[in-house]
Amino acid sequence: MKAPDSGRLFRYSTLLCLALAVIAPASGDIYLLNLLVLMLIFIIFASSWNLLALSGQGSLGHAAFFGIGAYASTLIAVKTGLSPFIALPLGGVVAAGVGLLIGLTCVRLKEWFLAMVTFGFAIITQTLVVSVLAPVTGGWSGLASPRLLSAAIPGNSFIEYYSILGIAALSILAIRALMGSKIGLAFAAIRENETEARASGVDPVRYRLLGFAASAFLAGVAGALEIHHFGYVTPDIFGIDISFLPVIYTIFGGLGTLAGPVIGTVILTIVSEGLMNFGLTFERFIIIGLILILVVIFLPRGLVSLPEEIRKRWKRHGDNPVVSQTKKE
Amino acid sequence: MVDVGILLQIVFWGLYAGCIYLLLATGLNLIFGVMKIVNFAHGEFLMLGAYVTAAIFALSGLNPYAIILLTMLVLVSIGGFVERLCFRPILGTGKLNEIFLSIGLIYVFENVAAVIWSDRWQSIQSPYSGISIPIGPVSLPLDYVIIMVVTTAILTGLYLFLERTQVGMAIRATSQNRRGAMLVGIDVERMDMLSFGIGSALAAAAGTLWVVSGQVFNPYMGSIPAIKAFAIIILGGLGSIPGAIIGGLLYGLAENATAFLVGGPWKDAVSFIVLIVVLIIRPRGLFGEAEE
């Protein structure tokens, strides 16, 4: 699974993207800056979903963790007066705690069952937030959330942008380090063949739970970032759309690769935003849905596998005459 | 002591809700039985059924219950197309691909509906709305009674089709043993397409009943009933049609009892809590086989 990540081309394009991300705010365009902030937040979110997939699991209700992180961080910041920068990882920790609980219930579930339970879990969370927890969460009307940086600070949007860029880069590096470590090997072993993994002394339950908690932590941080960026949180954050976006971005880019969620998020955000500017509010989702269907059917390993696929097809083309010659003999 | 009237009301309303769920769940299980796939976009067929019914109703002014057959006919073709164009190419490539493909389909259908019919909540009025039948101490809306009768008729039709016709038997054979069916000369791919179409039509029938009972609908309404249908087929067993029917009715009853006992907002959540508890105890569902 690592193959598409290696190679000089990949390293250069990573550097190029980073350079672009660093100099982009120089344009001074606030619209562009906002778009990039959302892109970075969803890069973290999609990467967190991808991490869960790497541990051999999946979720159709990742919005639950996104939203829990957002609400927890907001409440912590409001109640204690702490800076959102400190509340942010704490929100992630709360999300990770809930993720651990969900992981415990899902540890024996696979495929459809796992998908359905996680799907339902986001709805349960939303129901709880608007009913039992309404006195704390403000119910359907939501909560005002402190900004990451007070608007009084000069250049606050730039500092905010670079902070989020830093957090996104850090998250991806952390996932990379995790996948390169013994834990990553254990994940791969469980993903490929659970029985064999167990036979060679890997405890699947422990690593599954770890995968769930780590993924929920990152999703929670991403949710908290989004809410501190907008300054407001409502139960809509648990919506089905929010659960599906990281899945779509990751599948489009390439499931199970480090670059997949990043590429998927960047391209699809640009496509979606571009179509929106043409006034295609609903049509853009039709196009994104069609893109997803086409990718699943024709390019199941995502966009990152495109160069490899083209090379393969090319080679096969070149080989053809040779094959027919040998057949004649 | 619970009032008998309230108890009866919970039961009747639960059975009415159960009718809609069981049609959805039966469709899902018919498809699962033959193709061994779960279409997560199944709720979108309910949504399309609702809109197609409303559109035909607005155009023709026919009795909405007469439109149910037309709606099912439209959705058989849409379902068949979806199977042929989307699911057949990825059949056998892994369960994850089906889920991802379904997500794409959800996006496409929801937003096509939003483009055609806008994303406002809509509703239509049945000619019988406002008429109630007194049954014991409660009075039941006439529409609910008709819905139960129509559901029974559809299920009887499905039963006769599967048990008595050549094609129905071929579908059952494919679902029991795909390779065996192929050996005796059944075109299993045609059976896939057909059962997907019929499954979609059953979801569309649920959509028609949803609309004629006066419930509101919008392009995004399909997901919640679909998740409930998943819960039902997990509880009732993947691929089992009787399981889907009994499970659907029980689910409708449980949901209404919950709404009455602990309040409306809990309606959707409690059923999932039950589902999750069941899955923790039995990871393959209540009646699921311990395969693999």
Side-chain angles (χ1 to χ4, degrees), chain A residues 119 240 244, chain B residues 43-44 106 110 220-228 230:
Chain A
F119 201 138
I240 291 168
F244 284 177
Chain B
E44 287 7 275
I106 292 176
E110 280 184 354
Y220 312 107
M221 51 91 81
S223 308
I224 303 279
I227 308 170
K228 290 176 184 167
F230 298 142

Side-chain angles (χ1 to χ4, degrees), chain A residues 84-97:
Chain A
F85 275 107
I86 303 168
L88 205 72
L90 294 178
V93 169
V94 174

Side-chain angles (χ1 to χ4, degrees), chain A residues 120 123-125 127-128, chain B residues 258 264-274:
Chain A
I123 294 178
I124 296 176
T125 315
T127 310
L128 289 177
Chain B
T258 315
W266 280 94
K267 202 175 85 172
D268 293 338
V270 166
S271 28
F272 283 109
I273 295 171
V274 172

Side-chain angles (χ1 to χ4, degrees), chain B residues 15-276:
Chain B
L15 287 178
Y16 145 72
C19 282
I20 290 178
Y21 297 147
L22 76 82
L23 284 174
L24 257 187
T26 306
L28 264 180
N29 262 351
L30 183 70
I31 298 171
F32 181 86
V34 175
M35 299 178 72
K36 306 290 178 279
I37 63 164
V38 175
N39 174 21
F40 274 78
H42 198 63
E44 287 7 275
F45 293 124
L46 178 140
M47 180 271 294
L48 286 179
Y51 273 104
V52 169
T53 305
I56 298 176
F57 181 66
L59 277 178
S60 66
L62 282 171
N63 186 313
Y65 291 101
I67 297 174
I68 199 165
L69 287 174
L70 274 174
T71 307
M72 287 174 80
L73 216 58
V74 172
L75 264 288
V76 165
S77 8
I78 296 180
F81 266 115
V82 167
E83 192 280 328
R84 180 66 192 84
L85 293 178
C86 301
F87 282 98
R88 194 178 300 175
I90 61 147
L91 208 60
T93 60
K95 292 163 186 170
L96 285 179
N97 278 346
E98 299 155 17
I99 298 175
F100 302 149
L101 191 89
S102 307
I103 293 178
L105 286 173
I106 292 176
Y107 267 70
V108 171
F109 282 130
E110 280 184 354
N111 292 290
V112 165
V115 169
I116 302 177
W117 291 294
S118 94
D119 62 347
R120 275 178 303 117
W121 286 100
Q122 301 183 19
S123 68
I124 63 169
Q125 205 161 25
S126 148
Y128 311 119
S129 68
I131 306 173
S132 308
I133 307 172
I135 297 176
V138 290
S139 59
L140 192 64
L142 178 61
D143 277 313
Y144 287 17
V145 181
I146 302 179
I147 283 170
M148 290 175 205
V149 173
V150 170
T151 307
T152 317
I154 292 175
L155 289 178
T156 317
L158 181 70
Y159 175 81
L160 290 176
F161 169 71
L162 288 178
E163 293 289 326
R164 297 288 153 82
T165 66
Q166 198 82 33
V167 186
M169 279 189 248
I171 287 183
R172 281 193 296 136
T174 314
S175 120
Q176 277 165 17
N177 187 336
R178 199 179 172 85
R179 190 168 299 172
M182 250 192 262
L183 282 175
V184 297
I186 293 170
D187 183 348
V188 290
E189 291 196 322
R190 180 168 296 170
M191 294 309 133
D192 283 350
M193 201 161 147
L194 197 60
S195 51
F196 202 98
I198 296 172
S200 313
L202 288 171
T208 306
L209 297 182
W210 179 288
V211 171
V212 293
S213 64
Q215 293 203 63
V216 290
F217 54 97
N218 82 351
Y220 312 107
M221 51 91 81
S223 308
I224 303 279
I227 308 170
K228 290 176 184 167
F230 298 142
I232 292 162
I233 65 170
I234 288 179
L235 294 176
L238 282 178
S240 151
I241 289 178
I245 296 171
I246 296 166
L249 289 176
L250 286 178
Y251 194 95
L253 288 174
E255 190 180 82
N256 266 279
T258 315
F260 172 73
L261 293 173
V262 288
W266 280 94
K267 202 175 85 172
D268 293 338
V270 166
S271 28
F272 283 109
I273 295 171
V274 172
L275 171 70
I276 290 172

